[in-house]
Amino acid sequence: WEKHLSISNWQVDSDEIQYKIRCSNHIVHHAILKFCTTIEDTISATHRVCSLAEKGYWPFILPSKVKPIIHEEGYRYLPFRFTLDDERIYDLLMGSSIYKNPLDAVRELVQNSVDACALRDALIKTENPSMIPNSHDRIIVHYLEPRNSQHYPLLKICDSGTGMDERILTDHFLKVGSSYYTTEEFAEIRAKLWKAGSDFAPVSDFGIGFLSCFLLGDQIRVETSMWENLHGDIKHRILDINGPSRLIRLEEKTDTSVSRFKGTSVSIQLL
């Protein structure tokens, strides 16, 4: 409310909306700037949608530019904040202070696979208590020696767990320190399991998780696809990752067959 109470007056011109503001707090100042950006985005989105209605006629024409004129009382606003040196942070996270042995990365991956498989089993039993989930080849760890075009040894860990869709990949898998198991969505799933007389508690730690794989190598391929169409997304995705701070190549495949790939596979080209 402080950002709203700071507004002295406003006016709508032909080319912009102006807010005149008196502010004595740098945090409120920052909130005002963000809020004005939100107003701009909302107006632009409304124009795009509503201009299509009524054969292009939209009576509420507002300029999409929003300009805050802020009088600073007792301070000078600069967007100072701590930033992170990505390369240095990755070096620290993957140093010996966290993982004493590079093979700890294998433990992290296996724990992730155990959680994915256990959650899938719990959900299956909730929907059909008489059904016994298939336990054959649930988690497989391969070590492949170099051969032919494969110049380096390869470590591959595959599971037939829940898999990941695009939202889980972007919001959790690719976000360091974020875990799907701490979300409200998972809390709702767990409540559903409790009501059905079941439960699931993840065994993996909420640390840097997948980043530990880079202790073993820089070339990593992740293949994943959701086991069920829970969010309208069962695409088979392949992520080729060349180091923790590089852009990721993404390939998507659409496969709705009964024998389609379900779960997650992580392949690490060992150094």
Side-chain angles (χ1 to χ4, degrees):
W1 284 106
E2 287 187 55
K3 66 179 181 293
H4 295 293
L5 293 174
S6 299
I7 299 173
S8 302
N9 58 70
W10 62 87
Q11 65 185 53
V12 180
D13 295 330
S14 60
D15 58 341
E16 67 180 17
I17 300 173
Q18 288 188 2
Y19 286 99
K20 295 184 179 180
I21 299 156
R22 301 184 69 86
C23 187
S24 59
N25 186 297
H26 67 290
I27 296 176
V28 175
H29 188 134
H30 185 70
I32 290 169
L33 296 179
K34 291 181 65 178
F35 192 63
C36 287
T37 300
T38 300
I39 295 173
E40 285 185 342
D41 293 342
T42 302
I43 292 173
S44 297
T46 304
H47 282 177
R48 286 195 298 271
V49 174
C50 296
S51 62
L52 301 176
E54 300 295 334
K55 297 182 180 180
Y57 175 70
W58 176 242
F60 306 107
I61 302 299
L62 290 173
S64 57
K65 181 176 176 56
V66 178
K67 181 180 179 181
I69 302 174
I70 305 177
H71 176 68
E72 302 162 338
E73 297 181 337
Y75 72 97
R76 183 166 71 95
Y77 176 80
L78 287 172
F80 283 164
R81 61 191 306 169
F82 286 106
T83 59
L84 300 177
D85 182 333
D86 289 349
E87 293 286 351
R88 179 57 179 156
I89 292 299
Y90 287 130
D91 288 341
L92 291 173
L93 288 175
M94 294 181 290
S96 59
S97 59
I98 296 180
Y99 294 100
K100 305 300 181 184
N101 187 336
L103 290 178
D104 288 341
V106 179
R107 179 201 64 209
E108 293 279 351
L109 290 176
V110 171
Q111 286 181 335
N112 290 342
S113 294
V114 169
D115 285 339
C117 291
L119 177 56
R120 177 177 175 176
D121 290 350
L123 291 171
I124 289 174
K125 291 179 179 178
T126 300
E127 296 297 329
N128 188 350
S130 63
M131 186 173 181
I132 301 175
N134 182 12
S135 60
H136 180 66
D137 290 340
R138 298 305 308 275
I139 302 173
I140 302 174
V141 180
H142 293 282
Y143 173 78
L144 305 174
E145 291 285 358
R147 66 178 186 274
N148 301 329
S149 60
Q150 178 191 316
H151 303 296
Y152 296 90
L154 195 70
L155 178 67
K156 189 173 183 179
I157 299 178
C158 308
D159 68 63
S160 57
T162 54
M164 294 179 284
D165 57 17
E166 182 177 18
R167 184 169 58 83
I168 294 176
L169 282 170
T170 55
D171 290 352
H172 304 294
F173 179 75
L174 296 175
K175 188 176 292 185
V176 180
S178 176
S179 172
Y180 172 71
Y181 300 122
T182 62
T183 64
E184 291 184 6
E185 179 181 334
F186 175 70
E188 293 176 0
I189 290 176
R190 195 168 186 185
K192 180 180 177 181
L193 294 177
W194 282 340
K195 289 181 181 178
S198 181
D199 192 14
F200 162 76
V203 298
S204 56
D205 296 326
F206 302 145
I208 66 171
F210 180 78
L211 274 185
S212 62
C213 294
F214 295 105
L215 294 168
L216 301 174
D218 286 336
Q219 304 288 331
I220 299 176
R221 168 169 284 196
V222 177
E223 297 187 50
T224 189
S225 179
M226 287 290 284
W227 69 291
E228 287 290 344
N229 192 358
L230 301 179
H231 307 116
D233 182 0
I234 56 171
K235 286 184 177 179
H236 179 182
R237 291 182 171 84
I238 302 174
L239 290 76
D240 287 316
I241 308 170
N242 181 15
S245 59
R246 306 290 179 85
L247 289 176
I248 297 172
R249 181 184 182 275
L250 172 64
E251 180 182 348
E252 294 181 325
K253 301 177 181 179
T254 300
D255 183 1
T256 58
S257 65
V258 175
S259 60
R260 70 181 181 85
F261 176 81
K262 301 177 183 179
T264 300
S265 170
V266 178
S267 303
I268 307 172
Q269 183 176 287
L270 301 177
L271 296 175

